Amino acid sequence: MSTIIQSDEVDVLVVGSGAAGSLFAATAAKAGKQVLVLEAGPEKKLSDLQSSQIWARKLKWAGSPVEESGNHKIGQNFNSGFGSGGSAVHHYGVWPRLHENDFNTQSQYGIGFDWPIQYDQLRPFYDRIQKHIGISGDAKAERWRPAADDYPMPALPTLNQGNVIAKGFKAKGLHTAPIPYAVNSVPKGNRQSCIFDGWCDAGCPTGALANPLVTTLAEAKLAGAIVLNNCLVRRVLLNEAGDKATGVEFQNSNGEIFVQKAQVVVLAAFTVQNARLLWLSQHSKHPQGLGNNHDLLGRYLMTHPAHTIWGVFIEETQPHMGLSGGQLICQDGYANKKAMPESYGSYQWLIANACKPNDLLGIATSRADLFGKKLDRFMQQASKHFGTMVGICDDIPSAENRITLSSNKDSSGLALAKAHHDIDPRVAKLTEHMVKEGLEIFKAAGASESWTGPRAGMHIMGGTIMGKTAKDSVCNKYGQLHDVANVFVAGPGLFPSSGAVNPTYTVTALSLMGAEHMLNSWSQLS
């Protein structure tokens, strides 16, 4: 394969078009920078999205395989996306904020790392994002919510399933509130309000859900950013001294290899692929890959341990309606990460998720022990009386949980990524408590029967963590590599701790902070 040198240099080259990459691109393009976005996956438009379980699968990861190991795998195929908008096209739009105690777990609990920023420093970016993108919620009902501006849109309504399960929380002395959602409860601009048909997992063709196709990716294109799909970035290129990136090497769908020059490179290809790219970008000054001069690249890989509770109720729940992420939230288990003996971490409940008859998160597959006439009888009842909720726990960052390179290669001749993740026994203990509580809540809500499924990894974080120095982290608080200042990393890979909330809202707040720092520091970077 021949290498073709691109002569035209761009100001900002962004790898990946998901929530983080699209926001970087939009911010830079609006500031007048020449922006090029390289997306490894195919182009997707809002009109392409289809409300079906088959379509939902098509939005998930379809790039090079990731070799996973450990007793609590990260679930790359489910948690990642591929193509325009990345995983944010099929994310559920559940947007809670991290809490103050998520930012200083080492100083407060003696576990993990303190972030190089505090909540108060990130709060203005949270507030600006929610005003710009639009979030629905009820701030008063969220008794646990950190200090913040009020939501710009009223909360989405609670439907039958949510009302039924909420009775169990109330009976146990626990509190619920509407989930804070990046989903329109009222029309916003050209985006209509939610129709509660429960197909968030397959994308949202109405535009009610704030995915990049209708928010930041659309804004980036409107501001002049160029987006090239089916372009796989192979490595970051450096100058001879190894202290500045000069661009990237990428490959198109025909297998042709190009060199694209850029003043600044932003890696926003999601957690595993960002680390893989840094590993692949070896240089005489960085023989073990970029950001790895202190053997930290890929370390502290995290995922949220999650358990689903299912049940059948006497009341009709209309389980197919609502939103994939649920209707209500409970964070009563968040404030004290050492509240349970021999355990560690915060946890939250996302309550009354919309469920379809089958597929991964469906009604039928929740009872893998049933088949034939027994399954038919179950479905006859459950199709109208089913209820569910998911509990999400903190993770503990461990140096042994790491993204590295495999000896195996993909069809492009690049080493595959390996992702190893084991669950910490203290977190496993917390999941046991959470499951016990969940089953008790369903019983108190009047479930005739309730059960749980296996523990699974939800969301992927860490691997390129931020910190104050190169000796304890890969990036600084803005996502800049300590070793090469004009390379930014964006996404949940920056998280030094996981918290116990869905990460996309925090990803966007960090990306806005990083993008504005990039622009404010332009004279030192270019």
Side-chain angles (χ1 to χ4, degrees):
M1 292 183 288
S2 59
T3 299
I4 302 172
I5 306 296
Q6 297 274 59
S7 58
D8 294 335
E9 183 179 61
V10 298
D11 295 324
V12 181
L13 188 147
V14 181
V15 183
S17 64
S22 295
L23 196 148
F24 254 91
T27 305
K30 289 176 184 178
K33 300 301 181 186
Q34 185 182 10
V35 178
L36 175 64
V37 179
L38 297 178
E39 167 59 54
E43 182 180 12
K44 293 187 176 74
K45 300 177 182 177
L46 201 65
S47 57
D48 294 329
L49 304 183
Q50 302 292 330
S51 296
S52 77
Q53 289 159 323
I54 295 298
W55 178 262
R57 297 183 190 183
K58 291 181 179 180
L59 298 178
K60 306 300 193 293
W61 179 249
S64 298
V66 174
E67 297 178 359
E68 295 190 33
S69 60
N71 62 19
H72 184 63
K73 298 179 177 65
I74 61 170
Q76 168 78 12
N77 286 1
F78 174 77
N79 287 303
S80 299
F82 196 65
S84 302
S87 59
V89 171
H90 71 77
H91 89 311
Y92 298 167
V94 176
W95 278 31
R97 301 180 183 215
L98 288 173
H99 291 221
E100 289 97 330
N101 66 344
D102 290 320
F103 289 84
N104 45 35
T105 61
Q106 175 55 231
S107 57
Q108 191 168 350
Y109 303 104
I111 289 177
F113 301 98
D114 289 347
W115 288 50
I117 57 173
Q118 293 298 302
Y119 172 79
D120 287 344
Q121 294 171 272
L122 197 57
R123 175 189 165 176
F125 298 96
Y126 275 129
D127 289 340
R128 288 170 57 194
I129 287 289
Q130 75 170 21
K131 183 178 180 181
H132 179 67
I133 298 295
I135 299 183
S136 307
D138 184 341
K140 291 182 179 179
E142 288 182 59
R143 52 192 287 135
W144 43 75
R145 187 178 185 235
D149 289 353
D150 201 358
Y151 293 116
M153 290 188 285
L156 293 156
T158 304
L159 307 179
N160 284 22
Q161 186 189 170
N163 288 325
V164 169
I165 300 175
K167 290 189 241 178
F169 280 86
K170 185 176 182 180
K172 299 296 290 184
L174 299 170
H175 305 86
T176 60
I179 290 176
Y181 262 119
V183 175
N184 291 349
S185 58
V186 294
K188 178 177 173 59
N190 295 325
R191 296 167 47 212
Q192 69 179 65
S193 56
C194 181
I195 60 174
F196 315 114
D197 66 350
W199 282 113
C200 311
D201 188 44
C204 180
T206 69
L209 189 152
N211 73 58
L213 300 184
V214 293
T215 57
T216 47
L217 187 58
E219 292 168 16
K221 291 179 178 179
L222 187 64
I226 303 298
V227 180
L228 298 181
N229 287 85
N230 300 303
C231 289
L232 173 69
V233 175
R234 298 170 60 89
R235 60 188 177 116
V236 178
L237 302 173
L238 303 181
N239 62 5
E240 187 175 350
D243 59 358
K244 184 178 180 180
T246 59
V248 302
E249 179 185 277
F250 75 94
Q251 179 178 330
N252 66 14
S253 57
N254 295 324
E256 298 170 305
I257 297 178
F258 298 81
V259 170
Q260 175 62 58
K261 297 178 182 179
Q263 293 286 329
V264 173
V265 174
V266 179
L267 300 183
F270 206 39
T271 300
V272 173
Q273 297 306 310
N274 275 349
R276 181 192 184 207
L277 266 173
L278 291 171
W279 276 110
L280 291 170
S281 302
Q282 295 175 353
H283 183 276
S284 59
K285 301 295 183 182
H286 307 278
Q288 299 302 314
L290 291 185
N292 201 30
N293 288 344
H294 294 274
D295 194 32
L296 292 173
L297 178 59
R299 293 194 186 277
Y300 308 110
L301 177 65
M302 295 172 284
T303 184
H304 288 136
H307 267 283
T308 302
I309 306 295
W310 292 294
V312 177
F313 297 86
I314 297 172
E315 300 99 324
E316 285 201 9
T317 57
Q318 296 179 305
H320 65 289
M321 294 184 63
L323 297 97
S324 297
Q327 299 173 28
L328 298 169
I329 190 171
C330 174
Q331 291 185 348
D332 283 359
Y334 214 102
N336 184 0
K337 293 181 185 290
K338 284 193 171 181
M340 300 295 133
E342 300 179 353
S343 71
Y344 171 83
S346 301
Y347 65 98
Q348 68 171 359
W349 289 108
L350 301 177
I351 305 154
N353 311 71
C355 287
K356 302 305 177 182
N358 49 40
D359 216 66
L360 181 61
L361 301 177
I363 297 172
T365 50
S366 76
R367 289 301 303 268
D369 58 316
L370 299 180
F371 58 93
K373 292 183 179 180
K374 290 183 179 179
L375 178 59
D376 182 64
R377 284 195 296 269
F378 167 75
M379 289 299 293
Q380 289 291 337
Q381 181 185 24
S383 61
K384 293 185 179 180
H385 299 267
F386 189 75
T388 184
M389 65 182 185
V390 60
I392 301 172
C393 291
D394 249 313
D395 197 3
I396 293 177
S398 166
E400 303 308 311
N401 289 336
R402 191 176 194 183
I403 304 160
T404 55
L405 293 181
S406 168
S407 58
N408 298 315
K409 296 183 178 182
D410 65 12
S411 58
S412 299
L414 301 174
L416 298 176
K418 293 196 299 184
H420 178 84
H421 185 272
D422 288 321
I423 192 169
D424 188 285
R426 292 165 291 183
V427 175
K429 192 76 174 176
L430 179 65
T431 67
E432 293 174 8
H433 162 79
M434 184 181 70
V435 168
K436 182 175 181 291
E437 179 182 85
L439 293 173
E440 290 174 352
I441 289 168
F442 266 40
K443 182 178 180 180
S448 58
E449 59 176 320
S450 57
W451 62 98
T452 187
R455 185 176 61 218
M458 183 181 290
H459 314 126
I460 310 174
M461 300 149 288
T464 52
I465 67 168
M466 61 165 63
K468 293 183 177 180
T469 71
K471 292 183 178 180
D472 62 19
S473 55
V474 174
C475 301
N476 68 11
K477 63 183 179 181
Y478 300 111
Q480 286 174 282
L481 289 183
H482 289 298
D483 299 340
V484 183
N486 71 329
V487 175
F488 285 74
V489 177
L494 294 174
F495 290 17
S497 65
S498 70
V501 300
N502 309 57
T504 308
Y505 190 12
T506 301
V507 165
T508 58
L510 288 174
S511 297
L512 180 59
M513 185 174 75
E516 291 189 344
H517 173 75
M518 175 187 71
L519 294 173
N520 293 334
S521 307
W522 192 259
S523 60
Q524 288 82 43
L525 299 174
S526 59

